[in-house]
Amino acid sequence: KGLVNEWNIKSAEITGFTSSEVVGRDLVEDFITEEYRTSVKEVLDNALRGYEAANYEFPLYTKDKRRVDVLLNATTRRDVTGHVVGVIGVGQDIT
């Protein structure tokens, strides 16, 4: 569904959004700029299909409206039986 279920301390430091402000919300619709929503959604959807992405770059705007350039790695998350259960997104601030 694209809902955030984990938001670590570093994500909070970079964006200014706390975990309680982000968890349960739609990552793409609520936090990605409009011109990148389609492409970021595609990267995440592909990871849900088992096609992982490395080094995908996009801008993210922080709580105080600063632009942060992020380098994203989207990895398929699987349960113990190998079924896809989500996506682990690891982003790096490359601003």
Side-chain angles (χ1 to χ4, degrees):
K1 292 182 179 182
L3 302 181
V4 176
N5 58 34
E6 181 66 37
W7 195 253
N8 66 28
I9 293 169
K10 193 63 175 176
S11 299
E13 286 176 12
I14 291 170
T15 65
F17 291 103
T18 65
S19 177
S20 62
E21 292 174 299
V22 177
V23 170
R25 292 179 62 187
D26 187 306
L27 177 69
V28 173
E29 290 300 316
D30 294 347
F31 299 99
I32 305 299
T33 59
E34 187 172 348
E35 68 271 17
Y36 279 85
R37 284 183 187 148
T38 299
S39 58
V40 171
K41 183 169 177 16
E42 184 176 322
V43 167
L44 297 174
D45 286 348
N46 283 340
L48 283 171
R49 293 186 202 96
Y51 303 105
E52 299 177 352
N55 301 324
Y56 176 75
E57 189 176 333
F58 67 96
L60 180 73
Y61 285 89
T62 64
K63 188 173 184 176
D64 63 358
K65 309 297 185 216
R66 288 179 300 108
R67 177 185 165 131
V68 176
D69 293 316
V70 175
L71 192 64
L72 173 69
N73 293 310
T75 304
T76 305
R77 183 176 183 186
R78 299 176 186 273
D79 65 16
V80 294
T81 64
H83 292 98
V84 175
V85 294
V87 174
I88 298 172
V90 178
Q92 178 180 357
D93 179 356
I94 58 169
T95 306

